[in-house]
Amino acid sequence: MNQILETTLNTKKNKSKKILKLQLYFSILFIFIIGIFIFYNNFKLSQKERFSNQILNNYNITKLYSNLFSNELSNFNENNEISSVIGIIDIPKINVYYPVFSNYTDELLKFSPCKFYGPLPGNVGNLCIAGHNYDNNKFFSNISNLSINDEIIIYSNFNKKYSYFVYDVYEVKYDDLSPIHSYNKALKELTLITCNNLNNNRVIVKAKMLEL
């Protein structure tokens, strides 16, 4: 009788060990797959950051050696689609320094902020610039951390510096277009837009130039 009980107990123990081993193997495999996924995403994001920096370097070099600089600088994205750069956006508080594409497409937005509405920098109207939120320190991930009176600088293609100062930071629903069209028609305004990946809202930063 004791032998039967011992055999039964040993069998159950062996089954439990096998189950625990399988669980351990699956856990290791799952962690390995997650690690590969994170590494791949970081690698792709680094590629986009390098491409943006390459555009920025080419932009600066072209401006340095060109006496007659056109209104828009032509560049190529990875798919050899022609786009252009209207200037550089510089936000010292959150370490943002990127070229700004003159037109907006999903593909271009992966590599740098894009202008999708309004005038060129320094002109009356509402200049709207969109940028990706990768939930890290890249692109427009941290614009929600901006505060009232923080400075946002746009450098134009003519080496002019335009300083805009934040006067509002808020969120809207993803389909709310009011931040684009609600502005003082007599002022020079800037609107930054990115996604809040937690609730699918849009983060809006409104800024304006202070006329002396």
Side-chain angles (χ1 to χ4, degrees):
M1 185 68 178
N2 288 336
Q3 286 181 343
I4 294 172
L5 286 173
E6 283 183 18
T7 302
T8 303
L9 288 173
N10 287 334
T11 302
K12 287 182 178 180
K13 284 182 180 179
N14 289 334
K15 284 184 178 179
S16 296
K17 285 181 180 179
K18 287 181 179 179
I19 291 171
L20 287 173
K21 282 184 178 179
L22 283 174
Q23 288 177 336
L24 178 62
Y25 292 149
F26 278 119
S27 297
I28 293 172
L29 180 62
F30 178 75
I31 292 170
F32 180 72
I33 292 172
I34 292 296
I36 290 176
F37 179 76
I38 292 172
F39 175 81
Y40 177 76
N41 277 348
N42 288 336
F43 174 74
K44 294 297 289 183
L45 181 56
S46 295
Q47 280 188 319
K48 293 177 176 64
E49 181 78 4
R50 284 196 299 272
F51 185 72
S52 179
N53 288 332
Q54 181 182 352
I55 294 171
L56 189 59
N57 290 334
N58 291 339
Y59 174 86
N60 288 331
I61 290 170
T62 304
K63 284 209 305 182
L64 183 63
Y65 289 102
S66 177
N67 292 324
L68 297 173
F69 193 74
S70 64
N71 192 40
E72 294 183 340
L73 174 68
S74 292
N75 290 283
F76 291 86
N77 64 19
E78 285 189 341
N79 295 328
N80 291 326
E81 297 170 342
I82 295 178
S83 61
S84 56
V85 171
I86 64 166
I88 295 170
I89 183 168
D90 180 14
I91 313 178
K93 181 177 179 178
I94 56 174
N95 297 316
V96 164
Y97 193 82
Y98 293 105
V100 178
F101 286 120
S102 64
N103 55 311
Y104 173 94
T105 68
D106 289 338
E107 189 64 25
L108 288 174
L109 199 62
K110 294 176 183 178
F111 301 101
S112 214
C114 297
K115 169 186 172 292
F116 70 95
Y117 181 84
L120 290 174
N123 290 302
V124 173
N126 185 23
L127 168 59
C128 297
I129 298 175
H132 260 314
N133 176 7
Y134 287 108
D135 287 322
N136 53 21
N137 295 320
K138 308 297 183 183
F139 299 95
F140 278 8
S141 297
N142 292 325
I143 65 168
S144 61
N145 295 330
L146 292 172
S147 304
I148 306 302
N149 293 326
D150 282 340
E151 185 179 21
I152 301 172
I153 302 166
I154 305 288
Y155 295 99
S156 78
N157 290 341
F158 300 101
N159 292 318
K160 286 188 177 180
K161 174 183 174 181
Y162 299 105
S163 291
Y164 298 82
F165 295 89
V166 175
Y167 69 85
D168 204 358
V169 180
Y170 59 98
E171 290 190 13
V172 295
K173 296 295 184 182
Y174 74 95
D175 56 351
D176 186 348
L177 301 178
S178 62
I180 300 173
H181 303 293
S182 61
Y183 62 96
N184 189 321
K185 303 299 187 291
L187 297 181
K188 300 170 182 178
E189 296 205 12
L190 173 68
T191 300
L192 306 185
I193 301 176
T194 194
C195 296
N196 182 335
N197 296 322
L198 295 177
N199 56 20
N200 204 32
N201 284 346
R202 299 286 185 260
V203 178
I204 307 297
V205 175
K206 303 286 284 186
K208 60 186 175 182
M209 287 182 61
L210 300 179
E211 301 291 348
L212 298 177

